[in-house]
Amino acid sequence: MEIPWQQVDSETLTNLIEMFVLREGTDYGDEEKSLAEKVEDVRRQLAAGEAILVWSELHETVNILPANHRFDDE
């Protein structure tokens, strides 16, 4: 189930994005980004509609996914 990110408390949203960024282990190539930069990148993707915030009833977790993700078990 998609959660409208605009309705999530700002501090809670930041915490969710930080947890997402820290667990992803994304490789940014030669240029290393700070946690704040990574969080801002994801926040921008949410605002642009490129990513969505999702609650999985099956796993009882919140995740951030590409906007074009197909829901099979959420």
Side-chain angles (χ1 to χ4, degrees):
M1 169 175 45
E2 185 174 346
I3 301 169
W5 65 269
Q6 303 92 329
Q7 295 178 8
V8 177
D9 175 76
S10 179
E11 184 176 342
T12 301
L13 182 61
T14 298
N15 290 336
L16 289 170
I17 295 171
E18 284 179 357
M19 287 189 308
F20 171 77
V21 168
L22 290 172
R23 78 170 176 243
E24 287 302 304
T26 306
D27 180 13
Y28 287 88
D30 293 335
E31 180 182 329
E32 194 59 34
K33 290 189 173 187
S34 70
L35 177 60
E37 290 171 316
K38 293 174 187 177
V39 168
E40 188 53 39
D41 286 347
V42 173
R43 191 181 299 274
R44 182 196 53 76
Q45 290 171 8
L46 288 167
E50 298 168 4
I52 57 174
L53 197 58
V54 177
W55 166 254
S56 171
E57 292 181 34
L58 177 65
H59 302 289
E60 296 185 352
T61 58
V62 175
N63 202 359
I64 298 170
L65 300 172
N68 62 356
H69 177 78
R70 294 284 180 227
F71 297 98
D72 295 326
D73 64 349
E74 279 84 20

